[in-house]
Every structure is written in structure tokens, then in C-alpha cells.
Amino acid sequence: MRDDLGHFTSGVLIVTGAVGGQPVSLTCQSFSSLSINPPIVMFCPSKASTSRQQIRTSGACCINALAGASSS
């Protein structure tokens, strides 16, 4: 986990969850490691996000860090 988080300095995250079997997601740029042992991270979505409360009540989420885009 330390190696993975050490490579993420800034960028866009997609946070996903499921509510009632339906996918819910939001984009987020505020992300940080709180603890390595136990592994705890935090993300800070906007209060205006309509998906924030749904993901919170789902009980679990997946945080996906997007790779850099290449120019064509």
C-alpha cells in the first residue's frame, strides 16, 4: 500500500459503490492516506455531490486512480 500511495501525488479519482444492485460513482480530487497499518485512506467529495450520500450509505466503495492521458 505504501508503494501504491507513494505514486499518487495528485490526480482524478473515480469512487464507485453499489446501492440496491445499481452502480453509483463520483469523481474526486481530494484523496489522502491516513494510516498504513491498518490501511485507511480518505477522500473528500463535494457536499453538492448527489452520489456522495448514496456511496456513504452503501457501506463499501472502490477508489480508482486514473492513469495519465497520453497526447495523440
Side-chain angles (χ1 to χ4, degrees):
M1 183 169 163
R2 181 185 303 267
D3 289 340
D4 291 335
L5 292 174
H7 292 288
F8 185 81
T9 55
S10 179
V12 176
L13 301 169
I14 303 297
V15 181
T16 60
V19 177
Q22 296 298 310
V24 180
S25 64
L26 59 87
T27 58
C28 187
Q29 286 184 294
S30 181
F31 173 78
S32 181
S33 170
L34 294 179
S35 173
I36 296 296
N37 189 13
I40 301 172
V41 296
M42 73 170 192
F43 63 94
C44 303
S46 168
K47 280 188 160 186
S49 169
T50 57
S51 301
R52 178 181 62 90
Q53 188 62 31
Q54 291 177 315
I55 289 175
R56 182 176 182 199
T57 59
S58 74
C61 67
C62 179
I63 300 173
N64 302 278
L66 303 182
S70 61
S71 58
S72 310

